[in-house]
């Protein structure tokens, strides 16, 4: 029997009482560890986090809580090698892809440690300036943001066991809210290990951070009015979470990041071989292959002027042909495996669905795997699909294949391109490639309403841009509609979700006595 | 047969094809008008608003849309007498109470016209400053707010047919979103009449404003991912709206204002006859009687130090005894009727429930009505309840009686008072009365997390404060938990609900070319 990972709940390590669910190496197929949360007292877990963890965190100032984040960074850095090993074994990712998750997490924590320190030694944040409520300034209104007096539950996705925890926990802990994380089972090991290291290092108040590795049953039932829940994953599960009475009837605040049909757009007038054309090709190939395309921000739809459709297909296909796929332990491998055989089956199913509306422009499935047994490994080569009529290929705008798959689509003019991006019904990100700044700004403003992020690549930032799918903590992560309507990160904007805004109406003397420092 | 009010939908006036639901005079009992929306083509209505209204509004700048609001103010002012007549007839309110609704609406519209004008001739708003995404400033992130490309559906409450429409429509129209309002049937007349006047005056683009007076059936089904819905009313209906697939599965943004168990707190150490004591007594009586207590912000729980419980009961009761109740057309009447006989029955039912945990300290029910027949009129005198053990009187913290009813509760010390305010599980507003500024600020920060607004009354603002239950457009309206989790008003903060935030990542040259004016 493999090791049964413990849960950290109510301030102590607790093993589940069931047999556990096994986690596998998606390349070699062997069982690695097991997780189980059977028998956990959820009433106690949530009450303990709310009372012990919440009270301890709220007793600290923002600057003191920022110091906690900095301490977490130190713990994670000290154990970084172990995380890479777990990622290789449990996620099947090559080193560069593991870095997106692990080093991305550490970088994000570090940013919030820095930003939080600048908030100073205060326990409430000023929201705007005081304004007078009548003709005379004798009675005024000052908005505050204060920590929500509840717990933050994270129900996380399998593709980012490290970053998915810390990009949420950093702003939550900085805001003074205790965190309970339920990682996706397939890759729960890395999340559990990071929490274990942080808990064992004793850098956080007891109750500030808990991990439940196992079943999500009963978690939503625990939520009370001042709690929040943040979910990352499929649109279907998102719907079920939003339909839970905790959200519908107890006003639990709910943040959703769902996958979306993100797009990349080559601007009109960019010929094959132009700098913008080449930048699009490079970015598409990168997005299709990083983490084997298992990123909620990955490019799924490639929109190009109709006249360069064939050239784009050829250029992308040629680069994809050079991508080696297989065992991430082999240095010649550029792209590892999907996270599980179940995901491999799901990707194959998605490809079968899309075949009704597309043809295959490049097929990486027929290439041999490096150092991996196709009967065991969850590996699949990249597949570029294409549809000459972007308007009628409805499935391409609806069905996300969560793997190394994207579809090339031709557009007639920039208005048509904008409409096609919007066919995703709300996406996390779109990226635009071109030289014409007037056209770029016009399209940016046209697509901003349906995208949480617009990433503009001009030749002058060809080397410096941060990447279409790379989620920077400075920028909002989350889009409307199909993307879930959430808003994470974006610097200190992320703190809003974990705060309650309140308008204090009082005399200027009382408002001054609140002792809120001015924010520069 | 009384007049059948028309709906304004898809750019034209359309009568329902059914018999209609009658609206009554709640004092005299006679039928006034009827509403009906049977046969309305909702597909057409919503598509027309989204396409015609939305496109026309988004083509304007913020300054131009602010001018539309100013034009609406002129229309409403010109027809103000008619609105007072409708309010008297259909809501049974005395003139001062009608003013809260009608003049409150006009004031709020005027504020947004002023604030919107200051946003200038732009079509997108800057959200914070650009920040660099790497060590060098060559690639940066600039957040924007852009109008959501959908429709704003308002499902409104019966108690504010005028203000309830315009406090939402002002920020929505300013944001460039077309509005469809479904007023509560009992008082739909005033809403319908105001929309009629504005439409007939031709001051808005066609499709920018629609009114459906009748059934709400099918409205939620119309909503698409970029739409928003704003509901004001009961917690039960709020739950049903949040559970609708439009919200759970299509990510329609949903704002809820539900009634809440608001409180007023007399600070420790304030003796009977002190300025703070007298200010609390005056405000409690005002809140219990304005609009016959039919305000979502009204004081429902009065928290006083245990030693002044009896004195507070006596002082509040003595003032309530002077409140004349009856026909609002009689100048000697201070408090008119409830909005309907159904509401009267609901208030009586609520009083019966609370009787299990309270005793009656002042009973206005046994006083004769002025100029009104108790067998016909929906009038009821104010009732002050009391419970000596605030901790065990659970119903007092759960059951809102939406009428001239409040409960007096004693507390032991300020920590106990804070806990009792939080027993409302999230409220719109609490008000604090006292001289001790240190204590006031301490309690303010302690209750801010569970209240959308904290109203602090010190002796120096005894005349100047804006009132516990009066919703000022400068301050946020909306509280966590039981209060629904919404956030309306609060100056330009209200625009967030009708905008999509998007992070634009680009070179500084491209960001500069977006042409966003700097906000002072």
């Amino acid at each position: 029997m493999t090791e049964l990972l413990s849960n950290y709940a109510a301030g102590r390590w607790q093993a589940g009482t069931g047999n556990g669910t096994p986690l596998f190496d998606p390349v070699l197929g062997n069982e690695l560890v097991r997780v189980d949360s059977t028998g956990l007292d959820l009433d106690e877990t949530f009450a303990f986090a709310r009372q012990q963890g919440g009270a301890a965190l709220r007793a600290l100032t923002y600057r003191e809580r920022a110091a906690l984040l900095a301490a977490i960074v130190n713990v994670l850095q000290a154990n970084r090698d172990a995380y890479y090993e777990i990622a290789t074994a449990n996620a099947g990712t090559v080193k560069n892809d593991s870095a997106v998750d692990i080093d991305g997490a550490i970088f994000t924590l570090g940013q919030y440690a820095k930003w939080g320190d600048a908030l100073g030694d205060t326990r409430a944040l000023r929201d705007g300036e005081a304004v007078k409520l009548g003709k005379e300034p004798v009675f005024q209104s000052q908005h505050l943001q204060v920590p929500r007096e509840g717990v933050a539950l994270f129900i996380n996705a399998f593709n980012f066991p490290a970053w998915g925890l810390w990009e949420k926990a950093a702003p939550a802990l900085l805001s003074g809210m205790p965190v309970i994380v339920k990682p996706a089972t397939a890759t729960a090991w890395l999340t559990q290990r990071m929490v274990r290291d942080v808990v064992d290092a004793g850098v956080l108040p007891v109750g500030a951070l808990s991990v439940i590795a196992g079943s999500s049953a009963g978690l939503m039932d625990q939520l009370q009015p001042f709690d929040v829940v943040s979910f990352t994953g499929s649109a279907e599960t998102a719907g079920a979470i939003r339909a839970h009475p905790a959200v519908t009837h107890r006003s639990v605040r709910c943040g959703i990041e769902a996958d979306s049909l993100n797009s990349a757009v080559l601007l009109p007038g960019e010929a094959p071989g132009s700098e913008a054309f080449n930048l699009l090709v490079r970015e598409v190939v990168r997005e299709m292959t990083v983490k084997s395309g298992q990123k909620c921000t990955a490019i799924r739809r490639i929109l190009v002027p109709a006249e360069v459709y064939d050239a784009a297909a050829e250029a992308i296909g040629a680069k994809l042909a050079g991508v080696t796929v297989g065992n991430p332990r082999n240095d010649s491998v550029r792209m590892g495996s999907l996270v599980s055989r179940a995901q491999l089956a799901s990707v194959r199913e998605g490809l079968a669905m899309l075949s009704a509306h597309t043809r295959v422009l490049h097929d990486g499935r027929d290439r041999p795997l490096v150092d991996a047994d196709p009967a065991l490994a969850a590996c699949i080569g990249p597949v570029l699909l294409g549809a000459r009529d972007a308007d009628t290929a409805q499935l391409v705008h609806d069905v996300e294949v969560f793997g190394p798959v994207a579809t090339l689509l031709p557009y007639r003019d920039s208005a048509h391109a904008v409409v096609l991006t919007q066919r995703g019904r709300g996406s996390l990100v779109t990226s635009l490639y071109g030289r014409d700044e007037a056209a770029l700004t016009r399209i940016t403003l046209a697509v901003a309403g349906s995208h949480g992020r617009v990433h503009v690549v001009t030749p002058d930032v060809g080397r410096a841009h941060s990447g279409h799918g790379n989620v920077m903590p400075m920028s909002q992560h989350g889009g409307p509609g199909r993307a879930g309507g959430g808003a994470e990160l974006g610097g200190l904007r992320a703190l809003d979700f974990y705060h309650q805004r309140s308008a204090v109406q009082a005399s200027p003397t009382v408002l001054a006595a609140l002792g809120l420092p001015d924010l520069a």
Side-chain angles (χ1 to χ4, degrees), chain A residues 63-385:
Chain A
R63 177 168 287 155
E64 289 166 336
R65 294 193 294 257
L68 301 182
L69 302 185
I72 295 173
V73 166
N74 290 338
V75 173
L76 299 186
Q77 268 169 342
N79 294 280
R80 197 162 155 272
D81 289 349
Y83 307 147
Y84 274 81
E85 280 173 32
I86 293 174
T88 304
N90 191 199
T93 39
V94 298
K95 192 159 186 184
N96 279 345
D97 290 357
S98 303
V100 176
D101 189 28
I102 296 165
D103 293 336
I106 294 173
F107 174 69
T108 302
L109 273 162
Q111 286 291 322
Y112 278 94
K114 195 181 88 177
W115 293 328
D117 186 71
L119 294 177
D121 281 315
T122 179
R123 289 180 186 81
L125 298 177
R126 189 186 290 278
D127 180 314
E129 296 302 309
V131 293
K132 58 186 186 179
L133 288 165
K135 285 200 170 63
E136 300 303 319
V138 292
F139 196 67
Q140 306 196 4
S141 174
Q142 169 68 59
H143 289 76
L144 308 182
Q145 293 272 12
V146 296
R148 276 174 83 95
E149 297 186 20
V151 73
L153 171 65
F154 302 156
I155 302 178
N156 277 0
F158 64 76
N159 55 336
F160 282 103
W163 178 83
L165 164 59
W166 297 113
E167 64 105 7
K168 296 178 182 182
L173 294 171
L174 179 57
S175 300
M177 285 196 87
V179 166
I180 298 175
V181 60
K182 156 62 182 97
T185 296
T187 57
W189 192 9
L190 181 52
T191 306
Q192 193 269 359
R193 176 62 162 267
M194 287 179 144
V195 173
R196 199 186 89 182
D197 291 339
V198 169
V199 167
D200 289 355
V203 296
L204 287 181
V206 174
L209 180 62
S210 309
V211 60
I212 298 175
S215 166
S216 61
L219 296 179
M220 290 295 298
D221 299 333
Q222 288 293 330
L223 297 179
Q224 296 300 322
F226 302 149
D227 296 336
V228 304
V229 57
S230 172
F231 170 75
T232 305
S234 75
E236 293 97 309
T237 308
I241 284 176
R242 267 199 288 239
H244 190 280
V247 177
T248 59
H249 287 77
R250 299 199 289 277
S251 296
V252 167
R253 198 179 275 180
C254 180
I256 303 280
E257 298 301 331
D259 316 330
S260 69
L261 281 300
N262 312 299
S263 52
V265 182
L266 180 67
L267 256 63
E270 295 294 350
S274 70
E275 282 185 273
F277 180 93
N278 293 341
L279 286 165
L280 170 110
V281 169
R282 190 174 78 184
E283 198 64 9
V284 164
V285 172
R286 183 155 63 187
E287 286 296 309
M288 288 178 69
T289 56
V290 168
K291 288 179 75 66
S292 301
Q294 298 168 108
K295 292 202 336 251
C296 50
T297 52
I299 296 169
R300 305 298 176 194
R301 301 177 296 152
I302 308 150
L303 307 178
V304 297
E307 61 272 22
V308 304
Y309 178 86
D310 291 321
E314 193 179 343
I316 296 167
K319 274 197 183 285
L320 289 175
V323 175
T324 46
V325 182
N327 190 329
R329 295 162 188 88
N330 186 312
D331 285 343
S332 73
V333 166
R334 171 153 159 210
M335 190 169 96
S337 74
L338 295 173
V339 83
S340 65
R341 293 288 290 190
Q343 272 309 114
L344 179 60
S346 164
V347 166
R348 285 174 173 158
E349 197 183 324
L351 279 166
M353 285 179 74
L354 290 187
S355 70
H357 284 171
T358 60
R359 55 182 288 255
V360 177
L361 302 179
H362 170 83
D363 199 338
R365 287 172 294 188
D366 49 15
R367 304 277 301 281
L369 301 182
V370 178
D371 253 4
D373 177 353
L376 288 176
C379 293
I380 186 170
V383 179
L384 178 68
L385 304 173

